[in-house]
Amino acid sequence: MAVRTMEELVSLCKKRGFVFQSSEIYGGLRGVYDLGPLGVELKKNIRNAWWRSLVYERDDIEGVECSHLSHRLVWKHSGHEDTFSDPLIECKTCHSRMRQDKMKDETKCDTCGSSDLTDPKKFLLMMKTNIGPVDDGSSFAYLRPETAQGSYLNFENVLLSMGRKLPFGIAQHGKSFRNEITPKNFLFRLREFEQAEMQFFVPPETDIEWWEKWKNIRHQWWLEQGIPAGKLRFKDHEQLAHYAKCATDIEYEFPWGFDEIEGIHDRQDFDLGSHTKSQEDFKINAKVLPNKDSTTRMSYRDPFTGKEFIPFVIETAAGLDRAMIALINEAYTEEKLPNGKTRTVLKLKKHLAPIKVAVVPLAKNNPDIMMTGMKVRRVLSELGIGRVVFENSNNIGKAYRRHDEIGTPICVTVDFDTLEKENHPVTVRDRDTMEQVSVNIADIGKYVKKFYSRETPQQDVERLYQFSKMKEKGRE
Ligand code: GAP
């Protein structure tokens, strides 16, 4: 189940402490949001799941973290200075500014209906900031509109420092900035947002094969985060970005319909070729600007053939803010209970839940129960599973309801039985089934650790299988 309207989603995110409007008390900044206590945990968990699947669970991808500010020439040679713009139209009557390609009717203002409109102008989406003590109009840098360029600029550094061979990838997550003309749909189109992008460098003739592979790997990842297959679809780009040979979006069905959450692009040799000096030494497939500014060649020498060439790039580019709203939306569930009441549950996958365990001591006025509860909390905090909270409410029903609503997978209750009974049992209550099991206090760490342990990833299962086959063959 999901929320019914966008307004419901926004209100849920605010009320439960996921997302707040930035600079709210001064009227807010359009297209800019702050994350609250639960939002910051959720986003961290999504980011970690992404990083784990690409960097920790594979042997062919390295991670980097590049600066938000970058040299103007980066964006000249990446093509962004020339092409990263939207067609802007202004209404001469009410002064609303609109993206021409997103207007309901190109002859009338979306806000007041006037036909007195300016001609479309190219509006650069990159944001500038002044750098250094002199503000003479030339000493500026761009805030990056994508993380990808930082990964391209470090291609050679990573290749050499990590002793890599093709194919290999560079993953990076972090903030990107775009001066969107019409930020909209809550966290969907922002001016400041977080991307999770991976650039996979391959021999040119293998690009399509890798593009297909990455489409499937990324689609599978979204399924593993809890989005059902029926709510996802691929949509090939009809209009390609300046760098792309082919591109597809993974779209999710938001409350307003299917829209992009990730792009899988075959950027061919556009970016590495653009940032390369002596471009004439190579056969560059993409249309690139001549480059007299670069100090290096972004090339690769095949260790077997000795041939030097510019690798092709397959990019997977996801947005973590869009992921947040998709996953909250998908997890939101209202259930009818046998007593006729309705229960609201946020059925996030447990690895994404902002709070992993709530320890609930009953009763608040009993120091022995409180001390035992604190000890349980300590043991669970040290498991490294994420945030564990000591729930200081005296009302167990309220505590369970609140934790159902924010998606806490388990609550551990400490009560008089814990003090008095043999083996000092605590009660573990499951968010989804509402079942309660009794666990001896000495075993609670082991129990929770097992609850949060992960299955062996499919690719490792496959590799282990291949190795075992090899071993069998060796014995024959
Ligand atoms: N490096 C390629 C690139 O930036 P993109 O399709 O423009 O490609 C990739 O962006 C992802 O970043 C999108 O699929 C989306 O999830 C996210 N994204 C892009 N613009 C955004 C915006 N204004 N607000 C929120 N997320 C955005």
Side-chain angles (χ1 to χ4, degrees):
M1 192 183 155
V3 296
R4 281 170 292 271
T5 63
M6 195 58 201
E7 290 69 35
E8 245 183 313
L9 185 61
V10 176
S11 133
L12 177 85
C13 284
K14 181 168 180 186
K15 212 168 74 196
R16 306 266 162 76
F18 283 95
V19 183
F20 307 127
Q21 175 69 56
S22 170
S23 312
E24 189 176 14
I25 65 164
Y26 293 107
L29 258 186
R30 277 193 74 204
V32 187
Y33 287 88
D34 296 335
L35 296 182
L38 300 185
V40 71
E41 293 293 334
L42 173 61
K43 198 188 211 187
K44 187 170 66 188
N45 294 338
I46 303 172
R47 187 190 295 125
N48 287 348
W50 177 84
W51 189 263
R52 194 171 50 226
S53 77
L54 294 179
V55 181
Y56 293 172
E57 288 178 356
R58 297 184 64 99
D59 295 314
D60 53 3
I61 298 182
E62 303 284 353
V64 295
E65 181 182 308
C66 304
S67 60
H68 294 176
L69 292 174
S70 36
H71 200 291
R72 183 184 165 187
L73 289 174
V74 172
W75 305 103
K76 175 182 163 196
H77 289 290
S78 71
H80 284 75
E81 256 195 350
D82 275 346
T83 58
F84 199 57
S85 53
D86 280 337
L88 173 81
I89 285 188
E90 189 170 333
C91 169
K92 290 188 197 160
T93 310
C94 74
H95 301 291
S96 295
R97 292 176 156 201
M98 294 150 282
R99 251 177 83 169
Q100 186 190 25
D101 55 332
K102 300 277 176 193
M103 282 168 75
K104 290 179 206 138
D105 170 352
E106 286 191 18
T107 61
K108 287 199 183 109
C109 171
D110 277 352
T111 313
C112 71
S114 162
S115 311
D116 198 6
L117 306 173
T118 61
D119 288 336
K121 266 190 291 195
K122 263 174 125 188
F123 178 75
L124 188 65
L125 295 177
M126 284 195 294
M127 294 200 195
K128 282 179 183 173
T129 187
N130 193 51
I131 237 177
V134 186
D135 184 4
D136 63 0
S138 67
S139 53
F140 68 86
Y142 287 115
L143 285 167
R144 64 181 180 189
E146 61 169 11
T147 68
Q149 294 303 320
S151 301
Y152 302 136
L153 297 183
N154 283 294
F155 166 74
E156 205 191 14
N157 289 335
V158 175
L159 179 78
L160 298 180
S161 63
M162 304 308 287
R164 281 287 176 186
K165 294 200 171 47
L166 291 194
F168 79 95
I170 300 184
Q172 177 170 198
H173 58 77
K175 287 286 179 91
S176 292
F177 303 82
R178 295 183 190 176
N179 201 4
E180 298 282 0
I181 297 172
T182 42
K184 66 167 188 180
N185 284 341
F186 192 35
L187 304 187
F188 185 80
R189 184 167 302 131
L190 298 169
R191 290 184 167 138
E192 175 181 336
F193 53 97
E194 183 165 346
Q195 291 186 307
E197 301 194 302
M198 193 280 300
Q199 317 301 322
F200 204 71
F201 304 97
V202 303
E205 62 284 0
T206 63
D207 62 333
I208 297 296
E209 182 193 326
W210 277 108
W211 182 60
E212 292 292 349
K213 267 192 203 164
W214 278 110
K215 273 163 59 176
N216 290 331
I217 296 171
R218 294 304 304 150
H219 184 262
Q220 180 61 30
W221 184 84
W222 285 103
L223 297 178
E224 283 161 17
Q225 307 319 304
I227 304 213
K231 293 288 215 62
L232 290 173
R233 71 177 189 196
F234 286 113
K235 182 143 186 268
D236 287 344
H237 288 203
E238 282 156 21
Q239 250 190 327
L240 290 171
H242 59 278
Y243 48 71
K245 172 173 163 187
C246 43
T248 198
D249 287 340
I250 298 179
E251 292 191 335
Y252 165 72
E253 191 174 13
F254 286 98
W256 60 88
F258 275 99
D259 227 327
E260 174 189 352
I261 46 173
E262 175 157 0
I264 322 286
H265 313 128
D266 180 347
R267 294 179 74 133
Q268 46 188 335
D269 48 8
F270 178 84
D271 302 276
L272 295 187
S274 293
H275 293 304
T276 283
K277 77 165 181 185
S278 331
Q279 289 163 326
E280 53 290 349
D281 292 351
F282 300 96
K283 191 179 148 288
I284 299 178
N285 199 59
K287 256 196 174 159
V288 296
L289 278 180
N291 192 334
K292 298 245 174 302
D293 304 306
S294 170
T295 57
T296 191
R297 300 148 81 98
M298 299 285 186
S299 60
Y300 178 77
R301 192 176 290 282
D302 187 299
F304 299 108
T305 63
K307 200 176 146 223
E308 190 184 1
F309 60 91
I310 299 203
F312 271 33
V313 172
I314 306 303
E315 172 184 57
T316 68
L320 294 184
D321 308 273
R322 290 187 188 179
M324 273 183 76
I325 45 173
L327 291 166
I328 292 176
N329 184 45
E330 214 39 64
Y332 182 81
T333 312
E334 283 174 7
E335 278 179 0
K336 268 262 174 283
L337 298 175
N339 65 7
K341 289 195 174 157
T342 303
R343 175 174 93 112
T344 305
V345 202
L346 205 55
K347 291 195 170 178
L348 288 166
K349 291 269 181 186
K350 55 190 174 186
H351 69 282
L352 298 178
I355 294 174
K356 301 300 182 203
V357 187
V359 178
V360 188
L362 277 182
K364 205 172 165 185
N365 298 331
N366 184 305
D368 290 328
I369 288 186
M370 295 300 271
M371 269 162 57
T372 310
M374 281 302 292
K375 282 185 197 157
V376 170
R377 181 214 192 282
R378 196 64 257 128
V379 168
L380 301 185
S381 299
E382 280 170 12
L383 295 176
I385 51 172
R387 188 162 180 209
V388 176
V389 296
F390 187 65
E391 186 58 60
N392 211 353
S393 119
N394 213 17
N395 182 330
I396 190 156
K398 248 191 183 164
Y400 286 166
R401 252 195 324 278
R402 188 178 115 72
H403 282 283
D404 283 348
E405 288 180 6
I406 63 173
T408 308
I410 44 176
C411 289
V412 175
T413 306
V414 177
D415 58 15
F416 286 102
D417 279 359
T418 316
L419 299 186
E420 290 159 11
K421 278 197 175 166
E422 202 190 342
N423 293 329
H424 310 291
V426 293
T427 306
V428 180
R429 186 238 187 212
D430 186 282
R431 174 195 73 193
D432 296 341
T433 61
M434 292 190 284
E435 274 169 17
Q436 304 193 7
V437 293
S438 184
V439 177
N440 295 340
I441 200 162
D443 297 329
I444 190 63
K446 217 163 41 183
Y447 182 94
V448 172
K449 194 164 179 197
K450 181 148 185 279
F451 181 86
Y452 279 106
S453 66
R454 285 168 26 85
E455 286 171 20
T456 311
Q458 190 53 33
Q459 59 174 23
D460 280 5
V461 174
E462 282 161 20
R463 287 205 304 183
L464 283 171
Y465 177 75
Q466 281 163 9
F467 287 139
S468 72
K469 282 273 163 217
M470 247 166 77
K471 205 168 157 186
E472 264 172 34
K473 264 204 174 146
R475 270 201 227 106
E476 275 165 14

